[in-house]
């Protein structure tokens, strides 16, 4: 569960209108609806009365939704209070070193830096680029950086994680690929494709992907034609038609010329969510400061 989802839920619950809530939050209505659905799926209950919305175009809370609203408001208020308290206490810490991994999407780095600068303009954030997400965890553990962005799971018990972005899989293809016009794709359609893949040493879910392909009746091992060390190079090779690739759903491929990305769905057309890729902001528990905690809290809404 993310603070962003709680914020979205509270906005809809207060407005009782998805359109007004989306305008208030400055997000699209489909994105808002998706996050509410993900929240309900995780909790396992309906927060809004479905029949009211689908048949009568009205938004109304369920009994459980009303109870959850009070708790959600309390959590958001506590989070904001913690940030403000930490901001006041932590002003004496003027410099923070933030570790990122080489494979990290650059737009994500810029987004995080912008949020930090907006909320803590007096603090200098020094970026430290490390070769892999595991190297970020090692640097946190040996205390050479203060904060780090990594992929889960963590390999050191000394580290504390705050997940802020979970992605699933989508398929990147050349815009000239025969499947490029499809609305979405099923695994069975990819059986005989050539693949561009991230080096296994840098890949968090390589084995998970292989297992899901085997379940679908094929193996990619002999069809991986190129392994690369950056997502930028992966996109370039896909655009040339060398092969296709799996990329995280949170990856913005609009800047990569000559490619399209398609959602991966199950046989019944439902979203394929079997493989999850989770990003997290981490720090070492024994080295934590109020400023580090405040900066970490900011990424929960991203």
């Amino acid at each position: 569960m993310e603070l962003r989802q709680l914020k979205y839920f509270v906005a809809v619950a207060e407005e009782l209108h998805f359109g007004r809530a989306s305008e208030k939050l400055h997000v699209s209505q489909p994105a808002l609806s998706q996050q509410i659905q993900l929240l309900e799926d995780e909790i396992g209950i309906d927060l809004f009365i479905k029949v009211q919305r689908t048949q009568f175009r009205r938004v109304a809370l369920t009994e459980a939704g009303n109870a959850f609203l009070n708790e959600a408001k309390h959590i958001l208020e506590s989070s904001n209070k913690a940030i403000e308290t930490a901001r006041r206490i932590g002003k004496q810490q003027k410099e923070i070193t933030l570790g990122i991994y080489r494979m990290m999407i650059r737009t994500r780095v810029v987004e995080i830096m912008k949020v930090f600068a907006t909320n803590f303009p007096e603090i200098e954030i020094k970026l430290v680029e490390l070769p892999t997400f595991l190297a970020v965890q090692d640097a946190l553990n040996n205390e050479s950086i203060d904060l780090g962005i990594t992929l889960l799971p963590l390999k050191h018990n000394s580290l504390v994680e705050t997940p802020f972005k979970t992605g699933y899989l989508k398929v990147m293809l050349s815009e000239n690929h025969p499947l490029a016009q499809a609305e979405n794709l099923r695994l069975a359609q990819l059986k005989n494709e050539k693949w561009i893949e991230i080096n296994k040493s840098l890949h968090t879910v390589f084995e998970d992907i292989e297992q899901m392909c085997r379940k679908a009746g094929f193996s990619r091992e002999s069809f991986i034609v190129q392994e690369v060390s950056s997502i930028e190079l992966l996109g370039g090779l896909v655009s040339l038609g060398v092969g296709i690739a799996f990329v995280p759903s949170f990856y913005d491929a609009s800047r990569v010329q000559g490619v399209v990305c398609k959602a991966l769905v199950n046989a019944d057309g439902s979203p394929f969510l079997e493989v999850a890729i989770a990003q997290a902001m981490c720090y070492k528990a024994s080295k934590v400061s109020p400023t580090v905690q405040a900066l970490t809290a900011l990424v929960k809404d991203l």
Side-chain angles (χ1 to χ4, degrees), residues 248-264:
S249 56
F250 52 70
Y251 176 55
D252 179 10
S254 62
R255 297 176 298 111
V256 184
Q257 293 185 349
V259 304
V260 293
C261 286
K262 300 295 179 180
L264 193 62

Side-chain angles (χ1 to χ4, degrees), residues 86 90 93 96 146 283-295:
Q93 190 172 358
I96 294 288
D146 301 306
Y283 56 81
K284 190 173 184 179
S286 61
K287 198 190 175 185
V288 67
S289 69
T291 302
V292 164
Q293 287 182 313
L295 291 171

Side-chain angles (χ1 to χ4, degrees), residues 18 22 28 61 69 75 95 136 179 182 188 260 268:
F18 275 77
S22 66
S28 68
L61 287 163
L69 177 60
I75 292 170
E95 181 180 299
V136 172
L179 295 174
V260 293
D268 61 1

